[in-house]
């Protein structure tokens, strides 16, 4: 509910148990922004790390993530510009069964924090 409160996303697929059980998902699902939000944390904290922001993303959502489902975000550096602190990353979010829920690329810029 915190994400819904912050963004105004009140899609019943995210909080109406009865309705969501009757959909193709068969359960409550989390907002895509919550799923991709793990990548925000990964970029800001680990790779490339503090001071990093997204310049652009291209993500495809392959599989819905259920409420309470464990997911893992991963990033791999594809390229680094020599003239600027800009990286292109391959990104994925997978569920505990290893199924890809989100995949794509992200371009980041890292601001020097010194």
């Amino acid at each position: 509910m915190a994400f819904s409160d912050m963004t105004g996303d009140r899609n019943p697929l995210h909080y109406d148990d009865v309705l969501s059980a009757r959909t193709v998902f068969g359960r409550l699902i989390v907002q895509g922004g919550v799923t991709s939000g793990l990548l925000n944390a990964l970029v800001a904290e680990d790779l490339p790390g503090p001071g990093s922001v997204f310049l652009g993303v291209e993500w495809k959502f392959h599989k819905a993530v259920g409420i309470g489902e464990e997911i893992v975000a991963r990033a791999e550096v594809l390229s680094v510009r020599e003239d600027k602190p800009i990286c292109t990353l391959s990104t994925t979010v997978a569920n505990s069964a290893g199924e890809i829920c989100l995949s794509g690329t992200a371009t980041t810029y890292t601001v020097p924090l010194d």
Side-chain angles (χ1 to χ4, degrees), residues 1 4 7-16 19-20 23 25 28-29 31:
M1 293 300 279
S4 294
T7 64
D9 180 352
R10 306 232 181 270
N11 186 333
L13 292 173
H14 308 308
Y15 64 86
D16 186 325
L19 182 141
S20 62
T23 70
F25 304 114
L28 291 173
I29 59 171
Q31 291 93 336

Side-chain angles (χ1 to χ4, degrees), residues 1-81:
M1 293 300 279
F3 190 86
S4 294
D5 290 342
M6 289 179 1
T7 64
D9 180 352
R10 306 232 181 270
N11 186 333
L13 292 173
H14 308 308
Y15 64 86
D16 186 325
D17 287 315
V18 175
L19 182 141
S20 62
R22 295 191 315 256
T23 70
V24 296
F25 304 114
R27 63 186 182 201
L28 291 173
I29 59 171
V30 300
Q31 291 93 336
V34 173
T35 301
S36 63
L38 288 183
L39 293 166
N40 292 41
L42 180 64
V43 162
E45 298 296 325
D46 298 312
L47 184 68
S52 297
V53 296
F54 287 120
L55 293 177
V57 298
E58 186 172 324
W59 289 327
K60 182 173 181 178
F61 292 85
H62 303 277
K63 184 170 182 56
V65 174
I67 300 291
E69 188 173 0
E70 183 178 318
I71 54 177
V72 175
R74 290 192 170 84
E76 177 183 338
V77 176
L78 297 176
S79 64
V80 179
R81 284 190 41 180

